[in-house]
Amino acid sequence: MKRCMDVLLSLLGLALLWPLGLAVALAIRLDSPGPALFRQERVGLHGRPFRIHKFRTMRVGGAGPQVTAGGDARITRVGRVLRRYKLDELPQLIDVLQGRMSLVGPRPEVPRYMALYPPEARRAILSVRPGITDPASIAFRNEEALLAAAPDAERAYIDTIMPLKQRYYLDYVAHRSLGADLRILLRTAAVLLKGAA
């Protein structure tokens, strides 16, 4: 049932939101040189790597940590808007349709950070498809601001935020259900609408 919901809702989302996606892609291309889409390796179901789809929010070729704090100089003007309203995540509907992700599930990490999770936690988290949203995404919707306030953003992510996210992920895995997923989707929509108001 969960996979059916993922396919139906991702198809519906792509069908309804393609004009917005086209406008976003055009804005990205006009704002800074480089492709509209950004691909990055993440760790998926059962530890299998995949390349996630996102709208590009940073300048091409900007070196730096794999976590992003608010005010990061690599973020473009359009990128700031996309990140604020989470519009950079829209292309992940493609990943959901392809079966690499789910609408709801633990957010997929880059291999470097996933390797830092304890083995038992890693096995549990990777026993489900990663998702576009989950309770940790809602709780840490202002993660970039939290990281911007830290002297070392990457250290703060590893030492403080990752352990808290791990608890959310493990709780999700232990109590997941179709009803819980629908409630998380509704909560995510409410948070995004509130932020856009």
Side-chain angles (χ1 to χ4, degrees):
M1 283 298 293
K2 180 178 172 72
R3 181 66 189 140
C4 288
M5 181 181 78
D6 283 344
V7 170
L8 289 173
L9 292 182
S10 60
L11 277 172
L12 182 64
L14 288 167
L16 294 175
L17 297 172
W18 73 264
L20 174 62
L22 194 61
V24 167
L26 182 60
I28 292 168
R29 294 300 303 272
L30 292 173
D31 183 50
S32 64
L37 287 178
F38 167 73
R39 305 290 306 277
Q40 184 184 51
E41 187 175 290
R42 300 290 178 98
V43 183
L45 181 65
H46 304 310
R48 288 191 293 267
F50 73 101
R51 289 172 61 78
I52 199 169
H53 289 82
K54 297 182 86 169
F55 280 124
R56 180 175 60 83
T57 61
M58 294 187 174
R59 291 176 179 81
V60 173
Q66 291 184 304
V67 295
T68 309
D72 191 311
R74 298 173 294 171
I75 302 174
T76 64
R77 287 173 301 176
V78 168
R80 279 193 289 274
V81 175
L82 298 181
R83 294 173 85 94
R84 179 178 177 191
Y85 298 108
K86 308 299 183 189
L87 293 174
D88 57 319
E89 312 285 356
L90 283 178
Q92 286 164 47
L93 291 172
I94 297 167
D95 297 309
V96 173
L97 193 57
Q98 292 174 336
R100 296 185 181 100
M101 289 181 68
S102 179
L103 292 171
V104 181
R107 285 295 297 160
E109 277 284 12
V110 296
R112 177 166 174 249
Y113 296 140
M114 181 51 72
L116 299 176
Y117 282 90
E120 286 184 19
R122 194 164 58 239
R123 274 193 297 275
I125 292 165
L126 297 178
S127 70
V128 299
R129 281 188 180 90
I132 294 178
T133 188
D134 72 311
S137 300
I138 297 167
F140 288 97
R141 61 191 172 276
N142 297 320
E143 182 179 309
E144 289 187 8
L146 295 173
L147 294 175
D152 182 334
E154 187 170 42
R155 198 76 256 155
Y157 182 75
I158 292 169
D159 293 342
T160 305
I161 293 177
M162 270 181 54
L164 295 172
K165 283 187 172 183
Q166 176 184 298
R167 288 184 210 161
Y168 278 104
Y169 296 159
L170 292 174
D171 184 67
Y172 171 79
V173 171
H175 301 101
R176 68 190 185 279
S177 69
L178 195 60
D181 281 5
L182 289 170
R183 287 192 293 274
I184 291 166
L185 286 172
L186 290 173
R187 282 177 58 205
T188 300
V191 167
L192 291 176
L193 289 172
K194 185 179 177 183

